[in-house]
Amino acid sequence: MHILIVEDEIEIAHDIGQALTAANFLVSYAHDGEEADFLGFTEDYDAVVLDLGLPKKDGLTVLKNWRREGRTFPVLILTARGSWQEKVEGIDSGGDDYLAKPFEMEELMARLRSIIRRKEGHATSILETGILKIDSRSAQAFLKGRALPLSPLEYRTLYYLLHHKGRTVSRTEIMEHIYDINHDRDINALEVLIGRLRKKVGSGLIQTRRGVGYFIE
């Protein structure tokens, strides 16, 4: 899962990024509104943490631009502004949830997981199919009830496929959501990665649709 953190306070952005990285999310940053506006049209993020009080272009303007152009990724609005009018405006502009500073990191993580789940219609933090289960709250995968040892990259890949269970996900889409924008997104490397996952979860779980991509039933 690829998360964009839009926050001009570097220390806050770093703290959020550390928490997300520890939970096996892929993290990118934007520190002003113009950069955020551009990145929102460049990458298909799984969610965005968006501060409203940004330099160069304010967060509400950025959010309205994204929604006007059909960008549908979930957005958690994060701001020091506390008035109910601004909360309402943020939600009405296309925000999926709202969190005021100062905040507890656990609450931010819970709200972020929630808006990601809702995007695909998942009711809880547990994703499962057959013998495989992933708990996004603990960032752990289980096979037949036993913890499955996965690297962060393997976890992100398996989680993304299970999050979109029943849909064929293209190789390009997978790479956008597991590799940083500056990473060399190589098809052969992805195939090697899928091969490693199949050895760990069983060859029949991750299916290939030739010329299209991969899917989990």
Side-chain angles (χ1 to χ4, degrees):
M1 289 291 178
H2 194 176
I3 310 299
L4 176 64
I5 300 172
V6 185
E7 170 61 68
D8 63 316
E9 295 186 52
I10 303 299
E11 186 175 349
I12 293 176
H14 177 72
D15 288 345
I16 297 171
Q18 278 193 320
L20 289 172
T21 300
N24 286 332
F25 287 97
L26 174 66
V27 177
S28 293
Y29 298 91
H31 299 300
D32 63 64
E34 289 183 356
E35 183 182 18
D37 204 4
F38 171 76
L39 289 176
F41 290 107
T42 304
E43 294 285 300
D44 188 17
Y45 297 100
D46 293 290
V48 177
V49 179
L50 177 66
D51 182 35
L52 293 188
L54 297 170
K56 296 187 179 180
K57 186 181 292 186
D58 70 89
L60 277 177
T61 299
V62 172
L63 179 56
K64 289 174 182 177
N65 287 346
W66 288 340
R67 295 311 194 217
R68 185 168 54 248
E69 297 301 323
R71 306 301 283 166
T72 61
F73 40 66
V75 174
L76 173 61
I77 296 171
L78 182 66
T79 179
R81 303 170 183 174
S83 75
W84 67 266
Q85 292 96 335
E86 287 167 333
K87 294 180 182 181
V88 170
E89 187 176 5
I91 298 299
D92 282 346
S93 296
D96 295 88
D97 202 352
Y98 186 101
L99 186 61
K101 301 175 185 177
F103 56 87
E104 294 293 333
M105 193 62 69
E106 288 185 5
E107 182 179 4
L108 181 142
M109 296 292 291
R111 289 178 180 272
L112 194 57
R113 289 193 300 265
S114 177
I115 64 174
I116 292 172
R117 288 200 309 267
R118 292 201 303 265
K119 179 69 161 47
E120 295 300 322
H122 300 299
T124 73
S125 62
I126 303 296
L127 301 177
E128 56 188 325
T129 181
I131 60 174
L132 175 69
K133 179 173 75 173
I134 291 181
D135 184 348
S136 63
R137 184 174 181 178
S138 63
Q140 282 190 302
F142 300 88
L143 190 68
K144 297 181 180 178
R146 295 185 177 181
L148 189 62
L150 298 174
S151 70
L153 190 58
E154 290 169 344
Y155 174 86
R156 286 198 296 268
T157 305
L158 190 60
Y159 181 86
Y160 192 78
L161 288 170
L162 191 54
H163 185 71
H164 297 280
K165 182 175 64 174
R167 175 171 76 84
T168 301
V169 184
S170 72
R171 292 172 175 84
T172 299
E173 181 180 342
I174 294 173
M175 289 189 291
E176 285 181 349
H177 290 264
I178 67 171
Y179 293 124
D180 183 80
I181 190 172
N182 297 315
H183 192 281
D184 183 18
R185 295 171 175 176
D186 181 70
I187 293 291
N188 293 328
L190 177 62
E191 291 177 350
V192 171
L193 176 62
I194 294 293
R196 290 204 310 266
L197 277 173
R198 282 173 168 156
K199 288 180 180 178
K200 293 185 177 184
V201 303
S203 58
L205 183 67
I206 302 174
Q207 300 291 316
T208 301
R209 184 152 287 140
R210 292 195 178 280
V212 182
Y214 303 100
F215 67 96
I216 291 178
E217 290 285 7

